[in-house]
Amino acid sequence: MFVNTLYGASPRDIKHYDNQRLREEFVIPDMFVADEVRLTYTHVDRMIVGGAQPVAKELELSSGDALGTDSFFSAREMGIANLGGTGTIEVDGTSYTLEHRDVLYVGRGTKGIKFASENPEAPANFYMNSVPAGEEFPAALIKQEDSKPITMGEEALSNKRTLRMYIHPEVSPSCLLLMGITEPASGSVWNTEPPHLHERRMEAYCYFNMAPGHRVMHFMGEPTEIRAMPIANLEGLVSPAWSIHMGAGTGPYCFVWGMTGENKAYWDSNPVAVSELR
């Protein structure tokens, strides 16, 4: 079930990484392969990141063998964002239809889920973030129109963007998982201003709706030791608590953000002045 395991790294270590090593430790490629569930287990707050692309058959996620539990959801919750064509997810016998950019929350105690696409010619791309959970909440479908939009930034600074909260206390409850989607406005490239740290939470990203030849330059590292990684369409990335959050695209793009940690206060962050970056 797990195609990769990421163990995380100290910020002191990445000073000695070349670009290839940096990608091996933090980037999650090839999440969407036809008729496969592909998951990466990361020891950064034990988040599981992955994708499922059902094309010719239904896919299932239920076994907890790799986790040492009775089922996958015995001690976990999950957020699933559809980044492709229309698809369905069955949760313990109840079916939910997800359009592009809809999100499904699956709670602790679920026995299993099944994935299917409405049209094999335009399959669903189900992107998943799963974290340990100590409390049970029922499954919930959050349509794009039911998410909470927040517009930030300025056109003059090329950072105007709309952030949509999906799995969030103000929209749909969870134990420790937060999940949403951000889209820069037309003509804007920067997705975060100012750069910031989440000392009490880690974050995972999946960039999508990008043309094949374009990339997002994702910056990470401590503010005085930043690195840049070119991220392609439908690639994921793990960002530890000590790493800044900042990126710019060479063309239009969106990204899913998922977080877990000590709290669910989205604005609990430490801004970093651009002039302080090194």
Side-chain angles (χ1 to χ4, degrees):
M1 178 171 58
F2 294 111
V3 298
N4 192 20
T5 300
L6 301 179
Y7 289 94
S10 162
R12 291 176 292 181
D13 295 335
I14 72 167
K15 297 179 182 181
H16 309 291
Y17 290 1
D18 60 15
N19 286 6
Q20 180 59 33
R21 177 69 185 281
L22 200 63
R23 289 186 63 85
E24 291 172 356
E25 298 294 342
F26 297 103
V27 177
I28 306 173
D30 304 322
M31 287 190 291
F32 301 98
V33 175
D35 293 324
E36 289 188 25
V37 176
R38 297 175 65 86
L39 302 177
T40 291
Y41 187 101
T42 170
H43 285 268
V44 182
D45 280 329
R46 298 192 180 275
M47 179 182 276
I48 294 171
V49 179
Q53 188 189 77
V55 179
K57 63 180 181 179
E58 186 179 72
L59 303 177
E60 185 174 359
L61 179 60
S62 59
S63 174
D65 291 348
L67 299 170
T69 54
D70 291 337
S71 74
F72 187 93
F73 298 98
S74 291
R76 284 186 166 272
E77 61 186 349
M78 177 180 280
I80 308 169
N82 184 11
L83 309 183
T86 302
T88 61
I89 301 177
E90 182 181 307
V91 182
D92 290 348
T94 300
S95 183
Y96 300 88
T97 298
L98 280 73
E99 308 289 345
H100 186 63
R101 299 201 209 189
D102 291 345
V103 172
L104 180 69
Y105 172 80
V106 180
R108 172 182 169 136
T110 297
K111 301 304 180 185
I113 59 178
K114 297 178 181 179
F115 304 95
S117 292
E118 183 177 274
N119 179 5
E121 300 299 320
N125 285 323
F126 293 116
Y127 170 68
M128 295 171 274
N129 286 169
S130 175
V131 301
E135 189 175 0
E136 294 186 7
F137 292 89
L141 174 62
I142 308 102
K143 307 292 288 185
Q144 182 178 5
E145 58 266 28
D146 296 326
S147 64
K148 180 179 179 179
I150 300 173
T151 299
M152 298 177 287
E154 303 177 41
E155 290 182 2
L157 298 178
S158 301
N159 63 23
K160 187 175 181 179
R161 60 207 184 273
T162 298
L163 177 155
R164 288 184 174 273
M165 297 175 173
Y166 285 78
I167 300 175
H168 186 277
E170 297 179 33
V171 182
S172 187
S174 66
C175 181
L176 287 174
L177 179 66
L178 292 173
M179 202 169 188
I181 295 176
T182 295
E183 180 175 16
S186 178
S188 288
V189 298
W190 292 96
N191 61 42
T192 302
E193 181 60 37
H196 59 277
L197 300 164
H198 291 299
E199 181 64 31
R200 287 163 288 277
R201 290 198 305 273
M202 61 80 69
E203 190 161 1
Y205 300 83
C206 179
Y207 290 95
F208 69 101
N209 280 11
M210 296 166 56
H214 286 284
R215 297 291 185 270
V216 170
M217 304 304 166
H218 183 98
F219 296 92
M220 69 169 297
E222 292 181 296
T224 56
E225 289 284 346
I226 65 172
R227 303 287 189 271
M229 288 185 288
I231 306 298
N233 189 50
L234 293 177
E235 283 192 325
L237 183 138
V238 175
S239 181
W242 46 261
S243 177
I244 64 165
H245 299 176
M246 184 175 78
T250 62
Y253 68 98
C254 306
F255 67 95
V256 182
W257 45 266
M259 292 189 283
T260 191
E262 297 296 340
N263 62 47
K264 293 183 288 184
Y266 181 84
W267 304 109
D268 179 16
S269 64
N270 302 315
V272 179
V274 172
S275 59
E276 296 176 3
L277 300 178
R278 296 290 185 270

